[in-house]
mmCIF file of all heavy atoms in Angstrom:
data_model
loop_
_atom_site.group_PDB
_atom_site.id
_atom_site.type_symbol
_atom_site.label_atom_id
_atom_site.label_comp_id
_atom_site.label_asym_id
_atom_site.label_seq_id
_atom_site.Cartn_x
_atom_site.Cartn_y
_atom_site.Cartn_z
ATOM 1 N N THR W 218 -10.482 -5.177 -2.093
ATOM 2 C CA THR W 218 -10.153 -4.974 -0.681
ATOM 3 C C THR W 218 -11.201 -5.628 0.205
ATOM 4 O O THR W 218 -12.403 -5.516 -0.055
ATOM 5 C CB THR W 218 -10.133 -3.464 -0.354
ATOM 6 O OG1 THR W 218 -9.283 -2.788 -1.277
ATOM 7 C CG2 THR W 218 -9.664 -3.202 1.064
ATOM 8 N N GLY W 219 -10.752 -6.313 1.250
ATOM 9 C CA GLY W 219 -11.668 -6.795 2.278
ATOM 10 C C GLY W 219 -12.476 -8.026 1.923
ATOM 11 O O GLY W 219 -13.497 -8.298 2.558
ATOM 12 N N VAL W 220 -12.019 -8.792 0.928
ATOM 13 C CA VAL W 220 -12.798 -9.977 0.526
ATOM 14 C C VAL W 220 -12.080 -11.281 0.854
ATOM 15 O O VAL W 220 -12.552 -12.364 0.502
ATOM 16 C CB VAL W 220 -13.143 -9.938 -0.977
ATOM 17 C CG1 VAL W 220 -13.983 -8.726 -1.294
ATOM 18 C CG2 VAL W 220 -11.892 -9.974 -1.842
ATOM 19 N N GLY W 221 -10.948 -11.202 1.532
ATOM 20 C CA GLY W 221 -10.198 -12.412 1.858
ATOM 21 C C GLY W 221 -9.055 -12.089 2.787
ATOM 22 O O GLY W 221 -8.952 -10.974 3.311
ATOM 23 N N PRO W 222 -8.141 -13.032 2.984
ATOM 24 C CA PRO W 222 -7.019 -12.804 3.894
ATOM 25 C C PRO W 222 -5.996 -11.810 3.348
ATOM 26 O O PRO W 222 -5.166 -11.308 4.093
ATOM 27 C CB PRO W 222 -6.397 -14.196 4.043
ATOM 28 C CG PRO W 222 -6.822 -14.936 2.820
ATOM 29 C CD PRO W 222 -8.165 -14.413 2.465
ATOM 30 N N ASN W 223 -6.034 -11.549 2.036
ATOM 31 C CA ASN W 223 -5.173 -10.550 1.404
ATOM 32 C C ASN W 223 -6.004 -9.722 0.442
ATOM 33 O O ASN W 223 -7.079 -10.153 0.012
ATOM 34 C CB ASN W 223 -4.043 -11.213 0.592
ATOM 35 C CG ASN W 223 -3.178 -12.139 1.394
ATOM 36 O OD1 ASN W 223 -2.991 -11.951 2.595
ATOM 37 N ND2 ASN W 223 -2.640 -13.154 0.736
ATOM 38 N N ASN W 224 -5.506 -8.562 0.064
ATOM 39 C CA ASN W 224 -6.053 -7.873 -1.097
ATOM 40 C C ASN W 224 -5.745 -8.741 -2.313
ATOM 41 O O ASN W 224 -4.663 -9.320 -2.411
ATOM 42 C CB ASN W 224 -5.390 -6.505 -1.267
ATOM 43 C CG ASN W 224 -5.523 -5.634 -0.032
ATOM 44 O OD1 ASN W 224 -4.941 -5.945 1.004
ATOM 45 N ND2 ASN W 224 -6.268 -4.560 -0.129
ATOM 46 N N ILE W 225 -6.680 -8.830 -3.255
ATOM 47 C CA ILE W 225 -6.489 -9.757 -4.374
ATOM 48 C C ILE W 225 -6.664 -9.047 -5.718
ATOM 49 O O ILE W 225 -7.383 -8.060 -5.833
ATOM 50 C CB ILE W 225 -7.464 -10.946 -4.306
ATOM 51 C CG1 ILE W 225 -8.916 -10.476 -4.493
ATOM 52 C CG2 ILE W 225 -7.296 -11.716 -3.007
ATOM 53 C CD1 ILE W 225 -9.886 -11.593 -4.811
ATOM 54 N N LYS W 226 -6.006 -9.601 -6.732
ATOM 55 C CA LYS W 226 -6.219 -9.163 -8.104
ATOM 56 C C LYS W 226 -7.311 -10.021 -8.741
ATOM 57 O O LYS W 226 -7.293 -11.245 -8.599
ATOM 58 C CB LYS W 226 -4.934 -9.306 -8.924
ATOM 59 C CG LYS W 226 -3.957 -8.166 -8.717
ATOM 60 C CD LYS W 226 -2.666 -8.394 -9.461
ATOM 61 C CE LYS W 226 -2.793 -8.250 -10.964
ATOM 62 N NZ LYS W 226 -3.047 -6.838 -11.361
ATOM 63 N N ALA W 227 -8.230 -9.374 -9.445
ATOM 64 C CA ALA W 227 -9.276 -10.101 -10.182
ATOM 65 C C ALA W 227 -8.746 -10.345 -11.588
ATOM 66 O O ALA W 227 -9.085 -9.637 -12.548
ATOM 67 C CB ALA W 227 -10.570 -9.309 -10.198
ATOM 68 N N VAL W 228 -7.896 -11.357 -11.721
ATOM 69 C CA VAL W 228 -7.127 -11.566 -12.950
ATOM 70 C C VAL W 228 -8.039 -11.864 -14.142
ATOM 71 O O VAL W 228 -7.827 -11.338 -15.251
ATOM 72 C CB VAL W 228 -6.106 -12.706 -12.746
ATOM 73 C CG1 VAL W 228 -5.353 -12.986 -14.032
ATOM 74 C CG2 VAL W 228 -5.130 -12.347 -11.634
ATOM 75 N N GLU W 229 -9.058 -12.698 -13.952
ATOM 76 C CA GLU W 229 -9.946 -13.043 -15.066
ATOM 77 C C GLU W 229 -10.710 -11.819 -15.556
ATOM 78 O O GLU W 229 -10.921 -11.638 -16.769
ATOM 79 C CB GLU W 229 -10.905 -14.153 -14.640
ATOM 80 C CG GLU W 229 -10.204 -15.471 -14.367
ATOM 81 C CD GLU W 229 -11.166 -16.522 -13.820
ATOM 82 O OE1 GLU W 229 -12.350 -16.198 -13.626
ATOM 83 O OE2 GLU W 229 -10.721 -17.657 -13.591
ATOM 84 N N ALA W 230 -11.110 -10.976 -14.637
ATOM 85 C CA ALA W 230 -11.811 -9.743 -15.019
ATOM 86 C C ALA W 230 -10.885 -8.822 -15.795
ATOM 87 O O ALA W 230 -11.308 -8.168 -16.765
ATOM 88 C CB ALA W 230 -12.343 -9.049 -13.778
#
Side-chain angles (χ1 to χ4, degrees):
T218 307
V220 299
N223 303 330
N224 304 67
I225 66 164
K226 279 176 72 69
V228 177
E229 293 175 358

